Amino acid sequence: MTKSICVVGAGVVGLTTAIVLASRYEVQIIADKFGADTDSVKATAVWHVYLVPETAEVLEWSSVTLQRLLDISRLYPESGVEIIGGVELFRAQRRHVPAWSHIPPEFAFLTDDELQRFNEPEGALHGSISSLSNAPVKWGYRLKAPAAKMSSYLNWLVEQAERRNVQFRRQHVERLADLSCQHDIVVNCTGLGAATLVNDEAFEPYKGQYFVVASNDGSPIEYIGDDDHPDGMAYVIPRGGRGHDWR
């Protein structure tokens, strides 16, 4: 008998989980938010090994994920996943070679001339974000990685799930236990909702300012990450010429 699985949550994690499981099981997604109403639509959505331990297991997961995203960008242009170049800048962190540097299609440390561009007040790449005289950029690296336009990517994931006969139900879930009598397995993919759904007192969300601006001739053509900015982490991400996400 085929097992019945319920995935709670319809963000990028819930949809991806359902798609993978649907190859072997009967899967239903239950959520009270879908598409643009989910928090996933606001995700930075650039592949990176970030804020996780760089263990062999994590690097293997990262490598598999990267390859899958590369395949999606190549085979399904309508998915909203594309390969973009980017730079990561560091002002305070010690220079080191990331354990994952061999995984992305391209990785290289910034040259002295490139660093100087980011430290010039009138630099070409938005000096107001990346250049402060009292906190100069000391090192950084350049890489290429997949990035997803989340509004498109979420819609594409829904289509992939529907093709695999995943069922969708809009419902607010108060307790995971309420679903156990209807399904063999319940998978919690609620993201931020886990804080209240399972009383996760250790859950700590982070907040920031996020906005989208229209592209113009002076907009960056690559993403810029500035984790050590004295006023807080800042970045800009181009979205296929249609606009830029700023934080």
Side-chain angles (χ1 to χ4, degrees):
M1 179 180 294
T2 303
K3 288 187 176 180
S4 170
I5 296 181
C6 172
V7 175
V8 186
V12 66
V13 175
L15 290 169
T16 303
T17 299
I19 289 169
V20 173
L21 292 173
S23 63
R24 297 178 59 188
Y25 307 105
E26 294 179 356
V27 180
Q28 181 179 58
I29 293 177
I30 295 180
D32 58 1
K33 295 180 180 179
F34 292 88
D37 293 329
T38 66
D39 290 306
S40 287
V41 78
K42 296 175 286 187
T44 305
V46 174
W47 178 94
H48 210 291
V49 183
Y50 187 67
L51 294 181
V52 291
E54 296 178 355
T55 62
E57 186 177 41
V58 169
L59 295 183
E60 175 65 18
W61 293 340
S62 302
S63 180
V64 171
T65 299
L66 174 64
Q67 188 56 58
R68 178 57 179 150
L69 291 171
L70 291 174
D71 290 343
I72 290 173
S73 69
R74 177 173 55 88
L75 298 172
Y76 306 99
E78 71 277 13
S79 67
V81 178
E82 60 182 354
I83 310 303
I84 64 172
V87 294
E88 295 282 349
L89 309 176
F90 300 94
R91 305 170 187 271
Q93 296 184 38
R94 177 181 57 83
R95 188 180 188 275
H96 65 281
V97 180
W100 50 266
S101 61
H102 64 288
I103 300 177
E106 292 184 19
F107 178 94
F109 284 104
L110 297 178
T111 65
D112 290 341
D113 288 342
E114 288 175 315
L115 291 173
Q116 184 176 353
R117 291 173 59 205
F118 290 102
N119 285 319
E120 292 174 351
E122 302 300 327
L125 293 177
H126 294 261
S128 61
I129 290 180
S130 61
S131 178
L132 293 177
S133 59
N134 62 340
V137 175
K138 296 181 179 179
W139 68 282
Y141 52 75
R142 180 180 303 282
L143 75 160
K144 283 190 175 180
K149 182 182 179 183
M150 289 307 296
S151 56
S152 299
Y153 188 49
L154 288 170
N155 289 337
W156 182 79
L157 288 174
V158 168
E159 292 176 0
Q160 297 303 306
E162 290 175 340
R163 290 179 182 179
R164 291 162 174 80
N165 296 317
V166 173
Q167 302 299 306
F168 292 81
R169 189 170 88 208
R170 187 180 295 273
Q171 175 185 332
H172 179 72
V173 178
E174 295 286 349
R175 299 189 312 156
L176 293 179
D178 295 339
L179 302 174
S180 60
C181 60
Q182 308 169 40
H183 303 275
D184 299 308
I185 299 174
V186 177
V187 184
N188 180 13
C189 296
T190 54
L192 289 174
T196 54
L197 181 61
V198 295
N199 297 320
D200 186 353
E201 297 180 357
F203 192 95
E204 185 177 359
Y206 287 84
K207 294 182 179 181
Q209 295 179 329
Y210 172 93
F211 54 97
V212 179
V213 297
S215 301
N216 57 42
D217 292 341
S219 299
I221 59 175
E222 59 188 3
Y223 93 80
I224 304 171
D226 193 353
D227 283 12
D228 291 339
H229 194 286
D231 293 331
M233 180 179 68
Y235 55 79
V236 55
I237 302 174
R239 297 295 186 189
R242 293 177 294 274
H244 287 65
D245 294 349
W246 296 74
R247 291 196 187 195

